[in-house]
């Protein structure tokens, strides 16, 4: 065989062997903020989707923290090279809604692509957060979670506490934390991650108290904060008092302090239910979780919790075939069995009613009740205007403002009342700036 013949045969084999279909694949760029075990979940989902069909290839890319990913997506859109899918944490919802032309509502996406899509198939507490007041879904729920209270059962036994019955009220938590401190946990009786999510947003919903007017911003950008009184002031006052002797100990603005629980340093820790993967992998003690504590003297408490985590936003300005790929990926993610697996392995909530019902019917929660805790909280009572969620513009920046004021109170630089007054005043100034920008 001549050299020329061999070359021609190699070229033919290359083409017939599948190179052409590979080149025809449409790539779908997915920017996300998942790390550790949750990053593994994202990668696996993309690989499974890519293996399930030949027309599209989802390419996940880690872009940093939630805030970093949001900022990167906005900057990329302005530069004309946004990804197809952007994972945005729940506090970025109002920011994404106000970005005219930057997004394609998921409801429109699915309809245009001819994919079967029923918003009512998803858990109401989740979809309500990402929908307009008319019920139109704007983004696709992905990794939803809620705040729960994790506790160290071995530490409870050491302190003479009932390891099988976690505290239900805040006074019970304070009492347990003091006993734990006396039993040797002198650096931290209890703590929390996400200081404002836990101690403002979730606290308000769980006690049916408004964080802001206009249904916590759902009914308009011209909302104002009102959390410088009532249960918010009572709670911060208690935290400040207990910070003095480490019965409570501050663990930062985000989730960087969660390791204080898995290391055994803080035996009671309030943070996301999605902490499950890290607890399972790293805690060397018997553990459990329970619903968030409540103040028993607040009428009607507990109400219902609100979601955290993130959703997937579809960016604007893409081609029809690219949108078709995104829509097929969302249909893939909504599959009942896939949602069941995602929930039971990662700790994130199942986004569809069918998936939740299937897990319940299987008896899974009898052996692992800790994975149902956030779902029981979310569905504890029918949501009210105060407990549907929060939708404030520039909430990423506002959370930092609130955290600054919490830190000032916990450090003894301000009284709890002065700190909350400043948090409300400074937050309202930022809301007005956002309102002016959004109305242009």
């Amino acid at each position: 065989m001549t050299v020329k013949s061999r070359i021609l045969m190699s070229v033919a084999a290359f083409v017939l062997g599948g190179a052409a279909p590979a080149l025809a694949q449409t790539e779908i760029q997915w920017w996300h903020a998942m790390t550790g075990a949750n990053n593994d979940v994202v990668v696996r989902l993309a690989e499974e989707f890519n293996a399930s069909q030949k027309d599209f290839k989802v390419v996940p890319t880690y872009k940093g923290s939630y805030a970093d990913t949001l900022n990167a997506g906005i900057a990329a859109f302005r530069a004309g090279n946004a990804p197809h899918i952007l994972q945005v944490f729940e506090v970025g919802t109002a920011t994404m809604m106000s970005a005219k032309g930057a997004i394609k509502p998921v409801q429109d996406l699915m309809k245009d692509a001819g994919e079967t899509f029923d918003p009512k198939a998803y858990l109401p507490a989740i979809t309500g957060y990402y929908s307009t007041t008319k019920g139109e879904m704007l983004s696709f729920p992905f990794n939803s979670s809620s705040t729960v209270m994790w506790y160290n059962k071995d530490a409870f036994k050491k302190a003479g506490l009932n390891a099988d019955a976690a505290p239900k009220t805040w006074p019970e938590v304070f009492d347990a934390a003091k006993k734990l401190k006396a039993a040797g946990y002198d650096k931290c009786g209890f703590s929390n991650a996400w200081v404002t999510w836990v101690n403002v947003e979730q606290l308000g919903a769980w006690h049916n108290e408004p964080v802001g007017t206009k249904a916590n911003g759902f009914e308009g950008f011209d909302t104002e904060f009102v959390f410088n009184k009532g249960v918010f002031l009572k709670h911060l006052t208690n935290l400040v008092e207990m910070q003095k002797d480490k019965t409570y100990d501050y663990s930062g603005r985000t989730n960087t302090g969660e390791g204080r629980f898995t290391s055994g340093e803080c035996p009671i820790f309030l943070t996301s239910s999605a902490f499950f993967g890290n607890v399972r992998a790293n805690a060397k003690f018997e553990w459990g979780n329970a619903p968030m504590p409540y103040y028993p003297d607040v009428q009607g408490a507990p109400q219902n919790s609100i979601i955290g985590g993130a959703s997937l936003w579809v960016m604007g300005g893409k081609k029809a075939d690219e949108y078709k790929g995104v829509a097929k990926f969302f249909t893939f993610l909504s599959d009942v069995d896939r949602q069941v697996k995602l929930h039971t392995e990662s700790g994130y909530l199942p986004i569809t009613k069918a998936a939740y019902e299937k897990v319940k019917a299987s008896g899974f929660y009898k052996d692992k009740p800790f994975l149902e805790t956030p779902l029981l909280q979310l569905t504890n009572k029918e949501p009210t205007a105060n407990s549907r969620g929060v939708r404030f513009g520039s909430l990423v920046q506002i959370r930092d403002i609130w955290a600054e004021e919490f830190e000032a109170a916990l450090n003894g630089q301000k009284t709890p009342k002065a700190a909350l007054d400043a948090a409300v005043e400074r937050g309202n100034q930022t809301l007005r700036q956002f309102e002016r920008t959004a109305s242009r």
Side-chain angles (χ1 to χ4, degrees), residues 14 32 34 39 61 101 130 140 158 203 213 223 245 258 261 263 340 381 409 437:
F14 178 74
H32 68 89
M34 298 286 91
N39 176 71
T61 304
Y130 300 119
F140 183 82
K158 183 179 178 181
L203 184 75
T213 60
T223 178
D245 68 354
E258 286 178 341
F261 178 75
S263 71
V340 167
K381 290 180 182 175
T437 302

Side-chain angles (χ1 to χ4, degrees), residues 84-119:
H84 302 85
I85 305 171
L86 181 68
Q87 183 191 30
V88 178
F89 59 161
E90 87 284 7
V91 297
T93 301
T95 299
M96 296 300 289
M97 285 178 63
S98 68
K100 296 178 177 63
I103 66 161
K104 184 176 180 67
V106 68
Q107 199 158 312
D108 296 344
L109 169 88
M110 302 300 274
K111 181 180 178 181
D112 294 347
E115 292 292 317
T116 301
F117 182 71
D118 180 10

Side-chain angles (χ1 to χ4, degrees), residues 297-334:
D297 57 345
V298 175
Q299 187 175 1
Q303 170 61 37
N304 66 274
S305 66
I306 56 177
I307 64 167
S311 64
L312 304 181
W313 291 79
V314 183
M315 304 303 285
K318 303 301 181 181
K319 297 176 182 177
D321 61 328
E322 295 171 328
Y323 281 141
K324 185 176 181 180
V326 174
K328 286 192 174 297
F329 182 51
F330 287 173
T331 296
F332 171 88
L333 292 177
S334 298

Side-chain angles (χ1 to χ4, degrees), residues 38-302:
N38 292 329
N39 176 71
D40 295 340
V41 169
V42 166
V43 172
R44 188 177 73 244
L45 285 171
E47 289 175 345
E48 289 176 354
F49 173 73
N50 295 342
S52 72
Q53 45 72 55
K54 299 180 179 179
D55 297 326
F56 306 100
K57 181 181 180 181
V58 170
V59 181
T61 304
Y62 172 69
K63 300 299 285 189
S65 68
Y66 276 137
D68 291 339
T69 302
L70 174 60
N71 292 334
I74 292 173
F77 173 75
R78 290 171 178 164
N81 58 356
H84 302 85
I85 305 171
L86 181 68
Q87 183 191 30
V88 178
F89 59 161
E90 87 284 7
V91 297
T93 301
T95 299
M96 296 300 289
M97 285 178 63
S98 68
K100 296 178 177 63
I103 66 161
K104 184 176 180 67
V106 68
Q107 199 158 312
D108 296 344
L109 169 88
M110 302 300 274
K111 181 180 178 181
D112 294 347
E115 292 292 317
T116 301
F117 182 71
D118 180 10
K120 293 180 181 178
Y122 302 85
L123 290 173
I126 297 175
T127 55
Y129 204 109
Y130 300 119
S131 301
T132 67
T133 52
K134 296 179 182 178
E136 300 162 337
M137 276 183 68
L138 298 171
S139 61
F140 183 82
F142 177 58
N143 56 305
S144 294
S145 60
S146 194
T147 300
V148 297
M149 181 175 68
W150 298 90
Y151 68 103
N152 182 332
K153 290 189 174 185
D154 290 353
F156 268 50
K157 293 173 185 175
K158 183 179 178 181
L161 297 165
N162 187 345
D164 296 319
K168 292 182 179 180
T169 69
W170 276 114
E172 290 173 356
V173 170
F174 302 154
D175 181 62
K178 290 171 184 174
K179 291 177 180 176
L180 287 161
K181 186 170 173 290
Y185 297 89
D186 55 346
K187 293 182 180 179
C188 172
F190 78 98
S191 189
N192 58 265
W194 304 110
V195 61
T196 63
W197 184 49
V198 172
N199 298 308
V200 177
E201 297 157 46
Q202 292 283 16
L203 184 75
W206 202 224
H207 292 84
N208 197 24
E209 294 286 339
V211 174
T213 60
K214 295 273 185 175
N216 285 338
F218 271 78
E219 295 177 357
F221 290 146
D222 55 335
T223 178
E224 293 185 345
F225 295 121
V226 293
F227 62 88
N228 54 340
K229 56 188 176 183
V231 70
F232 304 99
L233 179 57
K234 178 177 184 174
H235 189 57
L236 180 56
T237 300
N238 286 331
L239 295 183
V240 167
E241 186 60 31
M242 286 180 289
Q243 176 72 54
K244 294 175 182 177
D245 68 354
K246 302 291 186 179
T247 300
Y248 169 78
D249 193 46
Y250 181 64
S251 292
R253 300 181 183 186
T254 63
N255 63 339
T256 54
E258 286 178 341
R260 301 184 74 189
F261 178 75
T262 50
S263 71
E265 183 180 5
C266 291
I268 299 177
F269 203 91
L270 279 82
T271 189
S272 171
S273 56
F275 188 34
F276 162 69
N278 284 332
V279 175
R280 179 179 56 181
N282 299 310
K284 307 304 181 186
F285 49 81
E286 189 180 359
W287 51 268
N289 72 18
M292 291 182 291
Y294 63 94
Y295 285 98
D297 57 345
V298 175
Q299 187 175 1

